[in-house]
Amino acid sequence: EPLHRRQPGAPHRARHRPAGIAGFAIGLAAMGNRAIAEIQFADYIFPAFDQIVNEAAKFRYRSGNEFNCGGLTIRSPYGAVGHGGHYHSQSPEAFFCHVPGLKVVIPRSPREAKGLLLASIRDPNPVIFFEPKWLYRLSVEEVPEGDYMLPLSQAEVIRKGSDITLIGWGAQLAVLEQACEDASKDGISCELIDLRTLIPWDKETVEASVSKTGKLLISHEAPITGGFGAEIAASIAERCFQRLEAPVARVCGLDTPFPLVYEPFYMPTKNKILDAIKATVNY
């Protein structure tokens, strides 16, 4: 129940619901069902954190593969929505990327969402499927009516380039594409990669791209400190150290609670990314 709709002094029942939803879904999956749970905002997934992290993620491991809850998919809208403020705009993907036993998947568009969701539901592991809130009303795309799946843990190069590699996921791909277009007007050729699956992520595709371009920029809405971009930067520094021609750049959210009035200052915008592209290419 949203805070602004409650009567003063009324109990905030919504904070307990995610725990029940996750626990019920884990039980269903443990009995062999394909359970699809929905936490209506990722901002409110935290009461279910214990069930997801200490139950779902460890179910198979702790039993020596005698039982599992691998048929579990948890859907949750995440990220900025344009007017959500600090309670309806968060990007908590990095919390779950830290947990062995979970997969984390984030689509960038309607077509991707259907194919990746069907693949997640049929995957034999618990999957956290974050759906960008921004795309719910703004994204328009032809989606096949039939059954189809898109492979998990396989990034997609959606724009070929030679000067710098850009990586993102979710709604941030649209912002990165705009920055690529503007950079091309200045003669900068950007290669753009949609990571799609954050855990386990496609290191090989990213490594191949950075080995070609020698430069890397990562952008996500979540705060920069401890964001998943840091994991990518560290991995690529290890794998491509001798090929890197500039420090890995990160254009991310700020290390503050998500603001309401000052959202444009917080978000990793096209202009911020374009400035970082130019600085990295000219390093």
Side-chain angles (χ1 to χ4, degrees):
E1 192 172 20
L3 290 172
H4 62 273
R5 292 183 188 164
R6 288 192 295 133
Q7 296 299 316
H12 190 197
R13 295 186 297 275
R15 69 180 58 168
H16 306 296
R17 290 173 189 158
I21 291 168
F24 187 60
I26 290 167
L28 281 172
M31 295 173 65
N33 299 290
R34 291 280 165 184
I36 307 166
E38 182 189 359
I39 310 295
Q40 195 165 19
F41 286 99
D43 310 73
Y44 296 105
I45 202 170
F46 302 112
F49 200 72
D50 181 52
Q51 283 91 336
I52 295 169
V53 170
N54 281 329
E55 298 298 333
K58 299 175 176 62
F59 222 84
R60 180 185 287 118
Y61 182 84
R62 77 182 189 193
S63 72
N65 201 32
E66 287 188 22
F67 50 88
N68 70 82
C69 61
L72 171 64
T73 300
I74 297 176
R75 298 176 55 200
S76 193
Y78 94 112
V81 69
H83 52 265
H86 52 296
Y87 281 124
H88 295 86
S89 305
Q90 297 172 86
S91 299
E93 66 268 23
F95 290 112
F96 298 97
C97 290
H98 189 67
V99 182
L102 299 177
K103 291 190 175 185
V104 179
V105 180
I106 304 179
R108 72 174 184 270
S109 70
R111 182 186 179 279
E112 292 280 312
K114 180 176 177 179
L116 291 171
L117 180 59
L118 288 173
S120 298
I121 291 168
R122 289 159 180 161
D123 192 89
N125 300 280
V127 178
I128 311 297
F129 191 87
F130 285 124
E131 303 170 2
K133 297 189 194 98
W134 198 274
L135 302 183
Y136 271 68
R137 292 184 176 88
L138 296 179
S139 186
V140 179
E141 188 178 41
E142 289 290 331
V143 178
E145 292 184 6
D147 190 335
Y148 68 96
M149 294 189 293
L150 297 173
L152 302 185
S153 297
Q154 184 174 311
E156 182 182 5
V157 180
I158 59 179
R159 184 187 181 105
K160 294 280 189 180
S162 57
D163 294 329
I164 185 172
T165 301
L166 275 60
I167 297 176
W169 48 88
Q172 196 60 20
L173 261 296
V175 182
L176 285 164
E177 283 191 280
Q178 293 169 6
C180 289
E181 286 292 334
D182 282 8
S184 69
K185 297 173 185 175
D186 292 324
I188 300 173
S189 174
C190 300
E191 182 145 301
L192 180 57
I193 298 176
D194 178 8
L195 207 55
R196 290 162 133 188
T197 302
L198 272 60
I199 291 292
W201 62 287
D202 185 355
K203 294 184 177 72
E204 290 72 23
T205 295
V206 177
E207 179 182 358
S209 178
V210 175
S211 293
K212 178 178 67 173
T213 66
K215 301 177 182 70
L216 174 62
L217 183 151
I218 308 155
S219 184
H220 56 67
E221 294 179 15
I224 188 168
T225 299
F228 194 67
E231 174 62 30
I232 298 172
S235 295
I236 293 304
E238 291 170 356
R239 287 168 166 253
C240 303
F241 182 75
Q242 292 183 313
R243 286 289 300 119
L244 283 170
E245 300 171 5
V248 176
R250 289 182 290 160
V251 183
C252 308
L254 305 180
D255 289 333
T256 69
F258 199 103
L260 181 55
V261 177
Y262 296 108
E263 180 175 301
F265 295 98
Y266 179 96
M267 291 291 289
T269 59
K270 178 194 72 172
N271 288 338
K272 290 180 186 178
I273 294 166
L274 185 59
D275 287 345
I277 288 172
K278 292 177 180 179
T280 303
V281 168
N282 296 322
Y283 178 78

